């Protein structure tokens, strides 16, 4: 038992607040929205004061906000005045109590005014209020000091003839964090202000707010109401698993309603009737056009309320005490309600359009069509509408599918090592074969589609060059045509060169689809180990047996001399003038052969490849046989189709020179592409025929229509 005298040592004490330290620990702003939070708190307090006075007639109340010297953080002055109930005795006592629970029923945490002290140098409050003995006025300064933060500026006095309400004057930004992030422009200020209170303005649950920015007046909610189209849309109450009962009121608005916000469509998460967080939901809504008529650029704003959110807001009402994952789950669940209950017609139209986009995507990229359309669309995000969106969503399923097939095949291979083969082994093998065939068909289809686009572009280039004749940009277009088939000024065996893999040499010869054994528009003296001139063959391929290329680390066998080579020259489509001596086709080719035959090529890794004396040279000139060239080739043999010309090399040279018309080159590539379709069992229709330009006497040549591939 403690002796009675001992109690003299115990002193009764009350915990005290260190306000300066408390302010120092408040979160500092990192953007304009957070910098405006102290002002938002003042406006919210004014809204509550009007609600306390007018109840359901809150729309009759008024708040005025006057801003001067917005761009000068030292001289800025913001005055917030309301027609609310005023700071009567109980409300004044609550103001003077840190962490008061006076407004707990409305979600207030009692710390909003602490943000004022953190943000502003000077805060003066004037308030008119009623008490049982009459109407009075009080005034005080609110200062950041260790003690006596509330300093009266006048004794309470009668205020006969004055209306109740409170006026707060904020002057000067106190800290660098607020000065750096506080809006300096009037339009920026208005964007963030309207964005923060947009749910109040949309729902029409607040008083009239008049913002005077350096004399420019904006009135809310009128300014926002003018942006709404049609009537509000309501889901009513619904249950969201783990989050209780929620409700959504939605609005279709003009695009300006989302000015200053991230994204077009917005979901406003409310706590106790006030916006706490606004989230972009473009991807969750998916719908791009909210109208059923000709109006465009409309956006959706939804206001979400519920007890779950009311109970989980932080003390400054600036954020929810919830992880991002939870907020995402709430947003997804709410937007599902929006799609099914509020915007079913628009969503239905969007779903149909999305399906069309997906089908177009699969047409261009067949390898992603490995399952039916509905299954694939369920695998991608609802907002997916572009090729990149679809590919990003499906690639993991594509990889899993191939991995499963690989495992199944390996299991099948392992079965062959067993002593006892299962009874259904033949069916397993058949299923595996069908799986392989299906996969290869998709890959071939994509291969064909890519080549189709390449050939369409090639035809457009040829047509443009023919139509341009001798215009100034002929030279550049001619280089473009060459570079499209094969980039200029490169060697294919240069492992450091990325461009050498971007060629379309399959158009010239299918064996060259993956070749690296070539040079394009390179001087002969840069290709040969010794000798050689400044002549530049458009394309020199020095090993057709190397047509499929080699893998990293492999090398070309240089022990045997080259016995076949290919030389290709590209002449501008539509060219008619070949009057100069250097324009003689055979003479130009023989100049190259004279340097190559019996010489040595030097590969990029410095190894040497000898060109055999009996090397066979396949020389091709791609041109339109018109004008001077037609006369020059008049004594040459015609090719099998009657359109090209060919002549064998004579004397010490073996091989031939063949002049191929541009259209024949393209037609042959189209036919090979269609043959691939048929071989893969993918062809759906017979090719239509279109007329090609007349390139010789007689009937116009028939060529394949690219649209049919």
């Amino acid at each position: 038992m403690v002796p009675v005298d001992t109690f003299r040592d115990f002193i009764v004490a009350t915990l005290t607040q260190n306000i300066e330290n408390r302010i120092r620990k408040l979160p500092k702003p990192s953007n304009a929205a957070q910098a405006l939070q102290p002002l938002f708190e003042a406006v919210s307090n004014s809204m509550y004061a009007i609600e306390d006075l007018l109840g359901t007639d809150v729309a009759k109340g008024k708040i005025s906000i006057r801003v001067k010297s917005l761009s000068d953080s030292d001289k800025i002055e913001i005055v917030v005045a309301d027609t609310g109930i005023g700071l009567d005795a109980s409300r004044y006592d609550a103001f003077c109590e840190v962490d008061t629970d006076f407004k707990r029923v409305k979600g207030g945490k009692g710390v909003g005014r602490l943000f004022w002290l953190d943000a502003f140098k000077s805060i003066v409050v004037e308030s008119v209020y009623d008490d049982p003995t009459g109407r009075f006025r009080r005034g005080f300064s609110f200062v950041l000091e260790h003690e006596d933060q509330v300093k009266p500026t006048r004794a309470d006095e009668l205020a006969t003839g004055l209306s109740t309400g409170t006026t707060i004057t904020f002057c000067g930004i106190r800290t660098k964090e607020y000065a750096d992030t506080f809006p300096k422009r009037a339009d920026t200020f208005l964007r963030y202000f309207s964005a923060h209170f947009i749910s109040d303005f949309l729902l029409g649950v607040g008083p009239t707010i008049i913002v005077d920015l350096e004399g420019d007046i904006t009135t809310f909610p009128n300014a926002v109401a003018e942006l709404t189209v049609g009537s509000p849309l309501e889901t009513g109450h619904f249950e969201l698993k783990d989050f209780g009962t929620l409700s959504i009121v939605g609005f279709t608005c003009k695009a300006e309603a989302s000015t200053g916000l991230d994204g077009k469509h917005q979901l406003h998460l409310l706590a106790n009737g006030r916006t706490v967080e606004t989230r972009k939901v473009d991807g969750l809504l998916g719908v791009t056009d909210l109208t059923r008529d000709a109006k465009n650029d409309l956006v959706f704003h939804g206001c979400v309320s519920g007890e779950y959110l009311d109970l989980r807001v932080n003390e400054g009402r600036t954020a929810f005490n919830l992880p991002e994952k939870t907020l995402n789950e709430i947003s997804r669940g709410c937007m599902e309600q929006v799609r099914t209950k509020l915007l079913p017609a628009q969503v239905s139209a969007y779903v149909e359009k999305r399906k069309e986009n997906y089908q177009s995507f699969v047409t261009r990229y067949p390898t992603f069509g490995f399952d039916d359309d509905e299954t694939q669309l369920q695998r991608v995000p609802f907002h997916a509408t572009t090729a990149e969106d679809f590919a990003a969503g499906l690639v993991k399923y594509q990889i899993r599918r191939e991995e499963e097939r690989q495992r199944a095949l390996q299991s099948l291979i392992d079965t062959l090592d067993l002593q006892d083969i299962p009874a259904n082994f033949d069916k397993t093998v058949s299923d595996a074969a069908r799986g392989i065939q299906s996969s290869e068909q998709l890959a071939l289809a994509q291969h064909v589609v890519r080549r189709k686009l390449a050939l369409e572009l090639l035809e457009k280039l040829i047509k443009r060059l023919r139509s341009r004749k001798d215009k100034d940009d002929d030279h550049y277009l001619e280089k473009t045509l060459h570079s499209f088939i094969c980039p200029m000024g490169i060697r294919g065996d240069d492992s450091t060169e990325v461009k050498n893999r971007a060629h379309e040499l399959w158009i010239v010869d299918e064996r060259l689809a993956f070749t690296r054994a070539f040079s394009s528009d390179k001087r002969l003296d840069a290709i040969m180990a010794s000798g050689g001139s400044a002549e530049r063959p458009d394309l020199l391929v020095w090993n057709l047996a190397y047509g499929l290329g080699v893998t990293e680390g492999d090398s070309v066998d240089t022990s045997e001399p080259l016995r076949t080579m290919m030389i290709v020259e590209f002449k501008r489509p539509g060219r008619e003038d070949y009057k100069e001596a250097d324009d003689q086709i055979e003479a130009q080719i023989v100049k190259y052969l004279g340097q190559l035959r019996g010489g040595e090529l030097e590969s990029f890794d410095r190894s040497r490849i000898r060109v055999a004396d009996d090397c066979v040279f396949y020389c091709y000139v791609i041109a339109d046989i018109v004008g001077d060239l037609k006369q020059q080739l008049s004594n040459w043999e015609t090719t099998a189709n009657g359109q090209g010309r060919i002549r064998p090399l004579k004397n010490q040279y073996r091989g031939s020179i063949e002049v191929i018309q541009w259209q024949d080159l393209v037609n042959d590539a189209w036919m090979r592409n269609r043959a691939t379709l048929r071989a893969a069992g993918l062809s759906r229709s017979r090719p239509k025929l279109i007329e090609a330009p007349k390139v010789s006497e007689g009937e116009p040549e028939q060529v394949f229509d690219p649209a049919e591939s």
Side-chain angles (χ1 to χ4, degrees):
M1 183 175 178
V2 179
V4 175
D5 290 346
T6 305
F7 283 107
R8 296 193 189 99
D9 298 331
F10 288 87
I11 301 173
V12 177
T14 300
L15 294 175
T16 60
Q17 282 275 1
N18 185 329
I19 296 299
E20 291 176 310
N21 193 43
R22 178 72 183 277
I23 298 300
R24 187 165 52 251
K25 292 181 178 179
L26 287 175
K28 304 304 181 227
S30 59
N31 55 50
Q34 293 172 0
L36 283 166
Q37 191 61 41
L39 174 63
F40 296 158
E41 290 292 338
V43 176
S44 292
N45 288 346
S46 290
M47 289 180 173
Y48 288 136
I50 291 172
E51 289 174 6
D52 288 347
L53 179 66
L54 301 177
T56 57
D57 291 331
V58 65
K60 294 179 180 179
K62 186 173 75 172
I63 300 171
S64 65
I65 302 168
R66 187 177 73 250
V67 182
K68 293 181 179 180
S69 303
L70 179 62
S71 61
D72 190 331
S73 59
D74 288 326
K75 296 179 180 179
I76 188 172
E77 178 183 281
I78 303 176
V79 180
V80 180
D82 65 61
T83 59
I85 199 168
L87 289 172
D88 57 18
S90 59
R91 288 171 175 78
Y92 179 71
D93 289 343
F95 186 95
C96 296
E97 180 185 351
V98 177
D99 298 319
T100 178
D101 60 2
F102 182 79
K103 291 186 292 186
R104 172 175 286 182
V105 70
K106 297 180 180 180
K109 306 293 184 178
V111 298
R113 63 203 179 286
L114 298 185
F115 286 94
W116 303 354
L117 293 174
D118 197 21
F120 297 104
K121 295 177 180 178
S122 170
I123 305 162
V124 177
V125 181
E126 295 277 340
S127 187
V128 178
Y129 62 92
D130 288 329
D131 78 2
T133 63
R135 182 165 289 180
F136 291 86
R137 178 168 60 178
R138 62 162 43 108
F140 58 88
S141 294
F142 190 35
V143 297
L144 179 57
E145 293 182 0
H146 185 64
E147 295 179 348
D148 301 327
Q149 293 85 18
V150 179
K151 297 182 181 294
T153 56
R154 69 167 74 239
D156 288 9
E157 58 187 16
L158 286 171
T160 305
L162 297 179
S163 299
T164 60
T166 300
T167 300
I168 308 169
T169 303
F170 302 101
C171 293
I173 303 296
R174 192 181 72 84
T175 65
K176 185 177 186 300
E177 292 89 347
Y178 277 94
D180 288 346
T181 54
F182 206 88
K184 306 295 190 298
R185 291 165 50 99
D187 57 345
T188 306
F189 181 99
L190 280 176
R191 281 203 308 271
Y192 283 100
F193 182 83
S194 61
H196 183 81
F197 291 106
I198 192 169
S199 59
D200 299 271
F201 302 146
L202 289 171
L203 293 168
V205 296
T208 297
I209 299 179
I210 300 171
V211 180
D212 179 348
L213 280 162
E214 314 283 3
D216 290 333
I217 307 297
T218 305
T219 303
F220 297 97
N222 293 353
V224 170
E226 291 171 359
L227 299 178
T228 61
V229 177
S231 302
L233 309 166
E234 299 188 32
T235 61
H237 291 93
F238 61 89
E239 292 291 322
L240 203 57
K241 185 180 178 182
D242 299 328
F243 308 119
T245 302
L246 299 172
S247 64
I248 304 171
V249 181
F251 300 85
T252 300
C253 305
K254 297 175 185 176
E256 298 93 300
S258 295
T259 301
L261 297 172
D262 181 21
K264 293 174 57 178
H265 309 297
Q266 310 294 331
L267 199 63
H268 308 284
L269 303 182
L270 280 55
N272 304 104
R274 295 284 177 262
T275 300
V276 176
E277 184 167 329
T278 295
R279 300 176 72 82
K280 178 180 76 171
V281 289
D282 294 18
L284 296 176
L285 181 60
V287 178
T288 54
D289 183 6
L290 291 179
T291 63
R292 302 180 196 179
D293 51 35
K295 295 178 182 176
N296 293 316
D297 295 327
L298 297 187
V299 297
F300 174 81
H301 282 254
C303 303
V304 183
S305 303
E307 185 180 14
Y308 183 88
L309 297 174
D310 293 343
L311 298 175
R312 290 166 175 80
V313 66
N314 70 6
E315 65 176 8
R317 278 177 292 167
T318 59
F320 289 103
N321 296 319
L322 293 169
E324 182 65 17
K325 179 181 177 182
T326 300
L327 291 170
N328 284 334
E329 289 176 6
I330 293 172
S331 298
R332 282 194 295 270
C334 287
M335 292 312 296
E336 177 64 28
Q337 294 289 319
V338 169
R339 294 196 300 268
T340 56
K341 292 183 178 180
L342 303 187
L343 302 170
Q346 293 91 330
V347 170
S348 177
Y350 166 78
V351 167
E352 192 61 34
K353 181 63 177 176
R354 177 173 178 259
K355 185 174 182 179
E356 290 177 10
N357 290 348
Y358 169 75
Q359 291 170 340
S360 175
F361 159 72
V362 174
T363 299
R364 298 195 308 276
Y365 304 98
T367 54
F368 287 96
F370 52 85
D371 257 326
D372 63 90
D373 292 356
E374 294 304 321
T375 299
Q376 297 294 69
L377 283 168
Q378 289 174 10
R379 287 170 169 167
V380 299
F382 188 70
H383 68 272
T385 58
T386 67
E388 286 189 6
D389 292 340
F390 293 132
L394 292 174
V395 68
K396 65 180 179 181
Y397 296 99
Q398 186 182 47
I399 292 172
R400 289 174 189 171
R401 176 176 175 271
E402 292 305 318
E403 289 289 334
E404 288 172 5
R405 180 165 290 130
Q406 293 288 344
R407 285 195 293 270
L409 287 172
Q410 187 59 53
S411 175
L412 185 61
I413 293 168
D414 294 342
T415 302
L416 294 172
D417 294 331
L418 300 176
Q419 248 184 344
D420 298 321
I421 300 298
N424 65 343
F425 187 69
D426 58 338
K427 182 179 183 304
T428 304
V429 172
S430 297
D431 289 345
R434 278 194 297 272
I436 294 172
Q437 184 182 35
S438 172
S439 180
E440 291 307 308
Q441 279 184 325
L442 291 174
L444 275 172
Q446 183 140 326
H447 173 73
V448 167
V449 168
R450 196 201 69 79
R451 286 191 168 191
K452 169 184 177 291
L453 294 175
L455 289 172
E456 286 177 345
L457 177 57
L458 178 62
E459 286 199 320
K460 285 285 179 81
L461 281 170
I462 293 171
K463 183 177 179 181
R464 178 65 185 272
L465 276 164
R466 282 179 179 147
S467 67
R468 294 292 293 172
K469 295 286 184 181
D470 298 321
K471 298 295 190 299
D472 291 341
D473 65 354
D474 276 1
H475 175 65
Y476 300 104
L477 283 173
E478 190 172 351
K479 287 181 65 175
T480 300
L481 181 60
H482 182 160
S483 297
F484 172 73
I485 297 174
C486 185
M488 298 176 68
I490 65 167
R491 293 184 58 137
D493 60 348
D494 179 357
S495 60
T496 66
E497 176 60 70
V498 176
K499 288 193 299 183
N500 63 25
R501 299 177 183 273
H503 65 69
E504 305 287 348
L505 290 176
W506 59 273
I507 293 172
V508 176
D509 191 311
E510 198 66 49
R511 293 171 296 175
L512 306 182
F514 304 103
T515 187
R516 299 285 174 263
F518 70 87
S519 69
S520 174
D521 193 47
K522 295 284 285 185
R523 291 166 57 118
L524 285 173
D525 56 10
I527 299 170
M528 302 188 68
S530 61
S533 68
E535 301 285 342
R536 295 173 180 263
D538 284 347
L539 180 65
L540 178 65
V541 183
W542 55 80
N543 194 343
L544 297 184
Y546 189 40
L548 291 179
V550 292
T551 58
E552 294 294 331
D554 292 341
S555 59
V556 181
D557 181 10
T558 59
S559 60
E560 291 293 321
L562 291 176
R563 302 204 176 274
T564 58
M565 291 188 73
M566 179 187 289
I567 297 172
V568 182
E569 283 293 311
F570 302 109
K571 304 298 182 182
R572 180 177 59 78
R575 178 181 172 182
E576 298 182 358
D577 180 9
Y578 288 85
K579 289 184 170 57
E580 301 296 328
D582 289 343
D583 293 331
Q584 298 299 307
I585 297 297
E586 187 170 9
Q588 183 182 20
I589 295 297
V590 169
K591 266 197 283 189
Y592 300 153
L593 303 185
Q595 299 173 66
L596 291 168
R597 177 178 169 272
E600 285 185 318
L601 300 182
E602 186 173 71
S603 66
F604 190 77
D605 63 1
R606 301 300 182 186
S607 58
R608 296 190 175 191
I609 313 167
R610 187 168 64 85
V611 181
D613 289 335
D614 59 352
C615 179
V616 178
F617 294 98
Y618 298 98
C619 308
Y620 299 98
V621 178
I622 316 299
D624 282 346
I625 305 177
V626 292
D628 295 338
L629 188 60
K630 185 177 179 181
Q631 178 62 33
Q632 183 187 142
L633 304 177
S634 59
N635 64 341
W636 288 37
E637 295 290 331
T638 58
T639 53
N641 68 355
Q643 298 296 320
R645 302 290 186 270
I646 190 168
R647 167 171 286 187
L649 291 169
K650 298 177 181 178
N651 301 324
Q652 70 263 44
Y653 302 119
R654 299 182 59 196
S656 62
I657 304 173
E658 183 175 351
V659 181
I660 302 172
Q661 303 228 56
W662 276 106
Q663 197 60 57
D664 286 337
L665 183 77
V666 174
N667 286 350
D668 183 64
W670 276 119
M671 286 189 288
R672 280 186 274 119
N673 213 36
R674 180 158 294 282
T676 304
L677 272 176
R678 289 173 176 165
L682 299 169
S683 182
R684 296 183 179 181
S685 61
R686 294 174 61 83
K688 292 190 297 185
L689 294 174
I690 60 174
E691 285 193 357
K694 291 186 179 181
V695 293
S696 63
E697 298 297 330
E699 293 298 315
E701 184 182 357
Q702 300 293 308
V703 300
F704 287 112
D705 181 354
E708 286 300 299
S709 282

